[in-house]
Amino acid sequence: MRQENLKEFKLGMKKQQFMFTKVSQESEAAVHASYVLSEMIAKHSKPFTEGDFIKECLIKAAEIVCPGSVKTFQAIYLSRNTVVERVTDMARNLNDQIKEKSSCFEAFSIACDESLSYYTEVRWLSCSKVLKQFWDLKEEICQFLINKNQDITLFSDQVWLQDFSFMVDITKHLSDLNLKLQGKDQIITNMCDQVNAFKCETASYQKYAEKILSLRNEFETRFSDFKSLEGKFTLFSSIFSINIESVPNHMQMEVIDIQCDSDLKAKFIEVGVSEFYKYLPARFENTRKLAYEIMSMFGSTYRCEQLFSLMKGNKSPIRSRITDVHLGTHPAYSPDLVPSDNFFFGLLKKELKGKRFDSDEDVQKVVQDFFHTLPKSAYKEGIYKLPERWRRCIESQGYERVANHNQWDETLCLANVYFYLTGTALEWFENNKESILTWTEFMLQLENVFGKKESSRL
């Protein structure tokens, strides 16, 4: 008998443990899904308010495909504030990861902002297509001008045509070079090769030698760093064919060993320069250090420009009108008032700013000490500020929405409406509040006295 009871007891315990484990797993899965969907919303530049719509779609799909799992999908939180918190958490985590990894980098470089004037001047390179089209259609354009009784003497001027032809060619070369220097995963040695090739190509314009010389001097000035790094670039990109005498003394033995290793040579041919140094054994310390230095150089600001383009695309006409003034006149997370977003948490943030904690217990202790040492006047000030925050939120989106968000019943709606009414409406309410016992009665009397316009504001 005892064994049977013990067996039933164990079975019941296992069921309870399974139930709690299942609930915990479902909860963790819901949080994980919330983070994944928030990441997708951010990556696709969607408004954070799309989370509610996505959740609604998920629930509708679950009702049709798997009715028994509807509650699981309902547990995925995707409100606007939740999506904001999730994206902020992920951004903070990425920032921490980058800081942690960067502390052990072998080499890194910093991309500095270029002057606006240069950025603006480069934009004219797109005119090469216009000039090319004009050149291809010059006969048609000439005929059009004749029909319009316009002067066409330039089209018969051979000197002007040669100058114009040169302009078409040189802008085309510049535009092509500009495109070659763009794109992700560019390494600095490839860019150097493209610039050197361009300088060689332009040497064929004998008639315009003065203009070409001026252009080459401009290139020499802008890419002056390439000259000082030319030896390192050659060693990096041609390590199997470089003359040993041109290799720095402290690297010569390593380069000889690399050149004589047939397996490394085969890998170099297989994967190319940009990937080869990942497979270089650790014993080639100096060569690996050189590779770190070259690979870490910014070959292009493509990724930065791509990010700025994305941000510019996200900047809708409505967002463009947001200023500091607008932000200052709205409460945090307006129009929603989250329970944790109040007066005390601003003070707590200041208290915790810049501090690091080794455990959750340390955080709890600091927070408890903070609230224990907070004077009574601070609590009083925080409570007095709540009505003003409610009023600002109400004015932006309506009293009814605030009441629904905070889950106020009719009693609380009636009690808190005092903080929203102003002027004549507030005076009327103070004179008649004793006779108004319900929220419905308040709404009816308000409409009778002030009309539907005032009541609709609620």
Side-chain angles (χ1 to χ4, degrees):
M1 187 70 177
R2 289 182 177 178
Q3 290 181 348
E4 291 180 358
N5 291 338
L6 181 61
K7 187 176 180 180
E8 290 180 2
F9 177 75
K10 288 182 177 179
L11 183 62
M13 286 292 294
K14 287 182 179 180
K15 288 182 178 179
Q16 289 183 0
Q17 290 175 353
F18 174 76
M19 180 184 67
F20 287 122
T21 303
K22 183 179 180 182
V23 171
S24 176
Q25 290 175 346
E26 290 179 351
S27 177
E28 290 178 2
V31 173
H32 184 209
S34 176
Y35 272 98
V36 171
L37 293 173
S38 298
E39 180 186 12
M40 293 178 65
I41 290 172
K43 280 187 174 181
H44 289 79
S45 304
K46 299 296 183 183
F48 293 158
T49 50
E50 292 286 333
D52 291 324
F53 175 70
I54 293 174
K55 182 177 180 179
E56 184 179 349
C57 294
L58 290 174
I59 293 174
K60 287 293 182 182
E63 290 174 351
I64 298 172
V65 178
C66 47
S69 303
V70 173
K71 288 186 177 180
T72 303
F73 287 94
Q74 289 175 340
I76 302 174
Y77 292 104
L78 288 172
S79 68
R80 183 189 64 176
N81 289 339
T82 300
V83 174
V84 170
E85 291 174 1
R86 299 285 189 252
V87 173
T88 303
D89 286 345
M90 288 184 284
R92 189 181 296 113
N93 180 262
L94 285 173
N95 185 55
D96 292 340
Q97 288 186 54
I98 292 173
K99 287 182 178 178
E100 182 180 354
K101 290 182 178 180
S102 62
S103 63
C104 56
F105 282 170
E106 293 287 344
F108 65 91
S109 57
I110 300 174
C112 298
D113 227 6
E114 295 181 349
S115 63
L116 181 61
S117 59
Y118 175 75
Y119 177 83
T120 305
E121 290 170 2
V122 170
R123 298 305 95 196
W124 72 269
L125 292 173
S126 60
C127 75
S128 65
K129 293 183 179 180
V130 177
L131 293 174
K132 181 65 167 59
Q133 290 176 351
F134 186 92
W135 177 261
D136 293 340
L137 296 172
K138 62 182 181 297
E139 294 181 1
E140 288 80 359
I141 294 173
C142 182
Q143 185 60 48
F144 174 79
L145 293 175
I146 292 174
N147 295 338
K148 295 294 182 179
N149 296 321
Q150 298 293 323
D151 184 19
I152 60 167
T153 53
L154 279 177
F155 287 86
S156 58
D157 187 339
Q158 294 301 314
V159 175
W160 182 84
L161 288 174
Q162 287 181 359
D163 292 344
F164 187 78
S165 176
F166 167 73
M167 180 62 69
V168 173
D169 288 346
I170 199 65
T171 53
K172 177 67 167 58
H173 284 303
L174 286 168
S175 181
D176 291 344
L177 176 63
N178 186 40
L179 292 175
K180 290 175 182 177
L181 298 181
Q182 293 179 14
K184 60 182 180 180
D185 301 328
Q186 288 266 29
I187 58 176
I188 196 71
T189 53
N190 289 344
M191 298 182 68
C192 182
D193 292 340
Q194 297 292 348
V195 172
N196 290 333
F198 173 81
K199 290 191 290 187
C200 293
E201 291 170 358
T202 56
S204 59
Y205 293 97
Q206 298 297 329
K207 181 178 179 180
Y208 300 94
E210 184 178 347
K211 297 291 184 183
I212 295 298
L213 179 60
S214 176
L215 181 62
R216 288 172 65 90
N217 290 337
E218 189 69 29
F219 266 71
E220 292 293 343
T221 301
R222 178 150 190 83
F223 298 103
S224 57
D225 291 340
F226 282 2
K227 193 71 174 177
S228 60
L229 295 170
E230 199 171 75
K232 290 184 177 181
F233 289 171
T234 303
L235 175 56
F236 174 82
S237 58
S238 308
I239 192 167
F240 285 96
S241 59
I242 192 171
N243 189 336
I244 292 298
E245 294 181 358
S246 63
V247 177
N249 293 333
H250 69 286
M251 293 182 61
Q252 286 185 358
M253 296 304 295
E254 288 188 5
V255 174
I256 291 173
D257 289 344
I258 293 172
Q259 290 181 345
C260 295
D261 192 318
S262 57
D263 291 336
L264 289 177
K265 189 171 185 178
K267 179 60 70 173
F268 183 85
I269 296 172
E270 178 187 350
V271 300
V273 179
S274 59
E275 298 291 325
F276 168 71
Y277 291 94
K278 295 179 182 178
Y279 302 94
L280 197 64
R283 67 178 186 273
F284 300 111
E285 182 180 354
N286 293 318
T287 307
R288 286 168 61 91
K289 186 176 180 180
L290 171 69
Y292 292 144
E293 180 183 346
I294 301 298
M295 293 294 291
S296 66
M297 293 182 183
F298 274 94
S300 170
T301 57
Y302 173 82
R303 292 191 181 276
C304 298
E305 293 177 8
Q306 189 180 43
L307 174 61
F308 292 140
S309 297
L310 178 63
M311 293 173 64
K312 184 177 181 181
N314 291 343
K315 194 175 182 183
S316 67
I318 298 298
R319 292 171 182 166
S320 298
R321 291 201 292 267
I322 296 179
T323 64
D324 291 340
V325 176
H326 294 105
L327 298 176
T329 56
H330 287 75
Y333 302 102
S334 176
D336 301 320
L337 291 174
V338 293
S340 63
D341 187 18
N342 59 44
F343 173 78
F344 303 107
F345 281 81
L347 298 177
L348 181 59
K349 278 182 66 175
K350 293 180 180 179
E351 178 69 21
L352 299 178
K353 185 177 181 181
K355 294 183 178 179
R356 297 182 65 87
F357 304 96
D358 297 326
S359 65
D360 293 343
E361 289 74 15
D362 292 343
V363 178
Q364 292 175 4
K365 185 178 184 306
V366 171
V367 172
Q368 289 172 357
D369 292 344
F370 166 77
F371 282 108
H372 287 158
T373 57
L374 204 63
K376 293 182 179 180
S377 58
Y379 290 94
K380 184 176 181 180
E381 182 183 358
I383 293 171
Y384 282 172
K385 283 187 175 182
L386 285 175
E388 173 61 18
R389 295 183 68 249
W390 292 344
R391 183 189 65 77
R392 289 163 60 191
C393 186
I394 289 166
E395 289 179 352
S396 66
Q397 288 292 332
Y399 185 78
E400 185 175 1
R401 178 168 180 174
V402 176
N404 291 335
H405 177 80
N406 289 281
Q407 299 180 347
W408 292 342
D409 57 18
E410 289 199 356
T411 302
L412 284 174
C413 286
L414 185 61
N416 292 327
V417 76
Y418 170 86
F419 301 108
Y420 170 59
L421 298 173
T422 58
T424 308
L426 177 60
E427 184 178 349
W428 165 81
F429 180 69
E430 289 179 334
N431 294 333
N432 295 276
K433 62 183 178 181
E434 299 297 332
S435 62
I436 301 174
L437 304 178
T438 66
W439 176 251
T440 304
E441 186 177 353
F442 166 78
M443 292 295 291
L444 290 174
Q445 289 195 32
L446 182 69
E447 183 176 339
N448 290 334
V449 176
F450 296 98
K452 290 186 177 182
K453 181 177 181 181
E454 184 68 24
S455 62
S456 64
R457 293 178 58 193
L458 301 174

